[in-house]
Amino acid sequence: MSKERPLSLITGASAGIGAAFARALAARGHDLVLTARRTDRLQALADDLQREHGTRCTVLTADLADPHAVEQLCQTLDQQDLHVDWLINNAGYGVPGRFDANDWQVHADFIRVLMTAPTELAWRLIHGMRKRGYGRIVNVASLAGHVPGSAGHTLYAASKAYLIKFSQSLALENLETGVNVSALCPGFTRSEFHDVTGTRPLVSKMPGFMWQNAEDVVEEGIRAVERGEAVHVTGRFNRTVKGLFKLMPDKLALRISAKQSRRYRAQE
């Protein structure tokens, strides 16, 4: 890198894994571009990081469901002469219920936020990374992308599987460029995610050993992308689950998924 302080762009930075990435990278000496829909939370986080680490934080409020949001975001970066070294594609959420129980616009927004926006951000920013000979892209996927889909939250696992395959291909294309790409695949993580989707009463029944803290997930993710690991599943338990499902016949895996869906997915 040609500068002492890398610049990291984090989407969905207002809470959960996104906020944990902001804190971890600020502690490592990064300046930050924080984006999400909730300006007040972003600004509060920016103020904390400025006070604790001297981090220069640029707050850019954006709704990634807007088809023009990514282009406008990158135009603002160019206007402010901000060159992104680390891209953390973290923004995401779940849509509870059956596929046909939601309006199409709900699904269209979901696809744009979880698939289209991270892909477009990577495309718009990777040119500069390659030119400078350094970059890191972390696409926050999920263990759900490695196991059979569930009944309810119909597009969630599909979107995460897409991010995994996209990350693998992008990593291979950039092996000799100084740009590392990694899909980070956590399992159950303590955050607001399940409160927003209304599944907290369901998932709270899951045993404690199945859960990780956002800070631990982020630490694994940073180490993985620095190593050039194209896909990283966090936590020993989650890696075991991935391995077991990989060995199972599809029929058995789907049967188990159907049973588990009733425990932690809102299906109506």
Side-chain angles (χ1 to χ4, degrees):
M1 289 178 294
S2 60
K3 55 186 178 182
E4 292 183 3
R5 295 183 68 88
L7 179 65
S8 296
L9 167 61
I10 305 170
T11 69
S14 60
I17 291 175
F21 260 113
R23 294 187 184 96
L25 292 172
R28 286 169 165 80
H30 290 221
D31 289 328
L32 303 174
V33 177
L34 306 175
T35 184
R37 293 180 298 173
R38 297 178 287 189
T39 306
D40 54 342
R41 287 202 175 194
L42 291 176
Q43 193 59 59
L45 177 60
D47 292 344
D48 287 345
L49 297 178
Q50 168 67 34
R51 184 168 53 253
E52 294 172 14
H53 303 290
T55 306
R56 177 188 173 190
C57 293
T58 302
V59 171
L60 299 177
T61 307
D63 182 356
L64 296 181
D66 181 342
H68 305 292
V70 171
E71 182 178 11
Q72 292 170 352
L73 186 63
C74 292
Q75 286 175 349
T76 301
L77 295 175
D78 290 340
Q79 291 165 1
Q80 298 189 23
D81 198 29
L82 296 172
H83 305 293
V84 173
D85 300 297
W86 283 58
L87 168 62
I88 311 297
N89 275 318
N90 166 74
Y93 58 96
V95 175
R98 244 180 23 249
F99 182 65
D100 62 321
N102 288 286
D103 293 338
W104 170 245
Q105 192 59 51
V106 172
H107 295 311
D109 289 349
F110 177 89
I111 290 169
R112 185 164 293 282
V113 173
L114 275 85
M115 298 172 67
T116 306
T119 307
E120 185 179 353
L121 274 168
W123 181 80
R124 290 185 179 279
L125 296 176
I126 201 168
H127 296 284
M129 293 179 182
R130 286 173 61 97
K131 184 177 180 179
R132 294 187 297 273
Y134 177 85
R136 300 289 183 263
I137 298 175
V138 178
N139 293 315
V140 179
S142 172
L143 175 65
H146 292 284
V147 301
S150 63
H153 294 248
T154 320
L155 297 179
Y156 188 79
S159 70
K160 297 305 186 179
Y162 166 80
L163 286 178
I164 292 166
K165 295 300 183 183
F166 171 57
S167 299
Q168 288 174 324
S169 294
L170 202 57
L172 291 175
E173 290 176 2
N174 287 277
L175 286 175
E176 306 299 328
T177 67
V179 178
N180 293 355
V181 182
S182 182
L184 178 62
C185 304
F188 288 105
T189 305
R190 294 183 179 90
S191 70
E192 295 180 352
F193 179 90
H194 300 288
D195 299 308
V196 174
T197 61
T199 55
R200 176 64 63 190
L202 292 174
V203 298
S204 63
K205 300 174 184 177
M206 309 302 281
F209 66 82
M210 295 179 64
W211 292 85
Q212 284 187 288
N213 293 320
E215 292 75 14
D216 295 332
V217 168
V218 165
E219 287 299 321
E220 287 195 46
I222 292 173
R223 290 196 297 268
V225 74
E226 287 283 44
R227 289 194 302 265
E229 191 174 347
V231 179
H232 180 75
V233 178
T234 67
R236 185 177 301 173
F237 172 79
N238 296 322
R239 290 190 287 272
T240 300
V241 169
K242 177 198 170 187
L244 289 173
F245 271 102
K246 190 174 181 179
L247 295 172
M248 284 182 199
D250 288 347
K251 185 177 291 187
L252 175 59
L254 282 170
R255 191 180 304 142
I256 292 173
S257 182
K259 181 179 179 180
Q260 293 301 316
S261 294
R262 291 189 290 271
R263 297 180 62 188
Y264 61 88
R265 294 296 194 211
Q267 299 179 43
E268 297 300 329

